[in-house]
Amino acid sequence: MKHSLLYIFVFLLIVACTPTVPKEYIQPGEMEDILYDYHVAQAMSKTKGGSDYDYNRQLYFDAVLEKHGVNKADFDSSLVYYYSHADKFREIYSRVSDRLSEEAKLLGASVGDINRYSQYSATGDTANIWSDASDVLLVPRPTQNRFDFTIKVDTTFKVGDSFMFQFMTEYLYQSGTKDAIVCIVTKYEGDSIIQIANHVSVSGLAQIRVPANREKMLKEMRGFIYLNDGGDLSETRKMMYISQLQLIRFHSKEILKPDETAKKDSLQANSLQRVNNPGGSVPDTLRRRIIGRRPGGTPLRLEGGATVHRVDARPVDLKENR
């Protein structure tokens, strides 16, 4: 009996200490349903197209709020609260994202690029080496508008590796320009640095690729995602939810040292000359005589409109397709 009372006391203490959302704000469960319906409605408004897209988007959003019995003032004030409690809101959006993905699968949506590499581990020629947060919520406010990351380089990395950083985004904006900057900086042996940056201004799949350096080994990789305020400093709805973060590493199929590359090029040139010059060093004039005359010197008779083809003894100049 004493043990049972102790367990009940501990349970009540945990419940009492668990931070809850004040009752004047939309509660997490209801906020999840509203956001889910919101994104479904936004997708429906996009199908309308035309010049009335903004009008349709607002119309569908108003319908969502009406469905849940929430007015714009209550919704916006609740968002302001969740701005200051980003961890709670990230949990809500994580569940919303899962629901949207499941709904898309039920409707027959394809797997898509974002899930193509989910099966890969952190090893192998193609590997998902991302080990940081799987989802991030950004708000255009100081300390909440930037996500930084660093990739640990170990012995599994090789010269010639290329990379692809990708993630899914969901914008929830009332006004202002949607604009996030994704930047990746790579540092190689000899302290050479390459910086690549892209802008992300729409919801959906975002990708940034880092090309292979076939001469030097990677020493460090770091990057960030930064959400601009869009020139609008008001307290309106503005947030960016990032999910399914992945960093895919691709090992190069073939990496040769400089001396090996020169040797291979030489072998390829010789092979091309042998293939395109079957007669070796036989002079071109002599070959024309051989092709154009019988052994006794009598010209060959051409039949069916055939012509004598000139065989060039020079190596063929091949241009690389780019």
Side-chain angles (χ1 to χ4, degrees):
M1 183 65 179
K2 291 182 179 180
H3 291 293
S4 299
L5 291 175
L6 179 61
Y7 291 146
I8 294 173
F9 175 76
V10 172
F11 174 77
L12 293 176
L13 182 62
I14 293 175
V15 172
C17 294
T18 302
T20 58
V21 177
K23 62 180 181 180
E24 62 265 28
Y25 302 119
I26 300 175
Q27 297 300 299
E30 187 177 4
M31 179 62 79
E32 176 186 335
D33 292 337
I34 293 175
L35 292 174
Y36 172 79
D37 288 339
Y38 167 82
H39 285 293
V40 172
Q42 296 304 293
M44 293 172 62
S45 67
K46 289 180 181 179
T47 61
K48 294 291 184 180
S51 58
D52 296 332
Y53 168 67
D54 291 335
Y55 172 77
N56 291 329
R57 183 178 59 179
Q58 186 61 45
L59 191 65
Y60 276 99
F61 176 66
D62 293 341
V64 169
L65 294 183
E66 184 178 357
K67 171 185 175 181
H68 292 274
V70 176
N71 58 47
K72 292 181 183 179
D74 290 339
F75 182 75
D76 289 337
S77 63
S78 296
L79 283 184
V80 172
Y81 168 80
Y82 284 110
Y83 278 166
S84 303
H85 301 78
D87 290 341
K88 292 182 180 180
F89 202 59
R90 188 170 63 245
E91 292 176 1
I92 293 173
Y93 239 115
S94 178
R95 293 193 294 270
V96 172
S97 179
D98 291 341
R99 289 174 62 179
L100 291 171
S101 297
E102 290 301 320
E103 183 69 19
K105 291 178 182 178
L106 292 175
L107 294 176
S110 59
V111 174
D113 291 336
I114 194 66
N115 293 319
R116 182 178 302 173
Y117 303 101
S118 299
Q119 60 182 323
Y120 292 101
S121 63
T123 60
D125 289 341
T126 301
N128 179 17
I129 60 174
W130 184 258
S131 60
D132 211 317
S134 60
D135 59 334
V136 178
L137 179 68
L138 296 181
V139 177
R141 290 181 172 184
T143 73
Q144 295 178 284
N145 59 357
R146 177 164 168 154
F147 171 65
D148 291 86
F149 58 88
T150 300
I151 304 301
K152 182 181 179 181
V153 178
D154 53 31
T155 55
T156 62
F157 287 69
K158 298 180 181 180
V159 175
D161 284 347
S162 60
F163 304 88
M164 180 174 67
F165 184 47
Q166 65 176 12
F167 50 87
M168 294 295 294
T169 64
E170 290 291 347
Y171 276 104
L172 183 60
Y173 265 55
Q174 181 180 6
S175 63
T177 303
K178 303 172 184 177
D179 182 36
I181 299 174
V182 185
C183 179
I184 294 182
V185 179
T186 51
K187 184 177 181 180
Y188 297 89
E189 293 175 336
D191 292 335
S192 61
I193 296 176
I194 297 177
Q195 177 175 299
I196 301 175
N198 279 349
H199 286 263
V200 179
S201 57
V202 296
S203 297
L205 175 64
Q207 293 179 329
I208 181 171
R209 296 177 180 270
V210 180
N213 187 328
R214 298 180 178 274
E215 298 179 356
K216 297 181 179 180
M217 184 67 184
L218 179 67
K219 293 176 57 178
E220 179 185 344
M221 177 182 289
R222 51 190 171 84
F224 64 84
I225 305 174
Y226 172 75
L227 181 61
N228 286 312
D229 58 23
D232 184 359
L233 301 180
S234 63
E235 294 290 336
T236 57
R237 301 189 296 270
K238 291 192 295 289
M239 62 181 65
M240 177 186 186
Y241 178 67
I242 303 169
S243 62
Q244 303 182 61
L245 285 140
Q246 297 178 347
L247 179 63
I248 313 302
R249 181 191 61 206
F250 304 94
H251 282 328
S252 178
K253 297 296 183 180
E254 181 181 13
I255 297 296
L256 298 176
K257 296 179 180 179
D259 56 339
E260 294 175 334
T261 302
K263 182 178 179 181
K264 181 179 179 181
D265 290 343
S266 176
L267 291 173
Q268 287 179 338
N270 291 336
S271 299
L272 287 172
Q273 186 168 355
R274 286 195 297 272
V275 171
N276 292 281
N277 184 12
S281 59
V282 178
D284 181 50
T285 54
L286 178 58
R287 183 172 292 105
R288 287 203 299 272
R289 292 194 186 99
I290 294 173
I291 293 176
R293 294 179 178 274
R294 289 192 177 92
T298 305
L300 292 171
R301 178 177 298 176
L302 302 179
E303 299 179 357
T307 59
V308 177
H309 294 278
R310 181 176 183 273
V311 179
D312 197 341
R314 293 173 298 175
V316 177
D317 183 17
L318 297 179
K319 294 184 179 180
E320 181 181 0
N321 292 326
R322 295 184 181 275

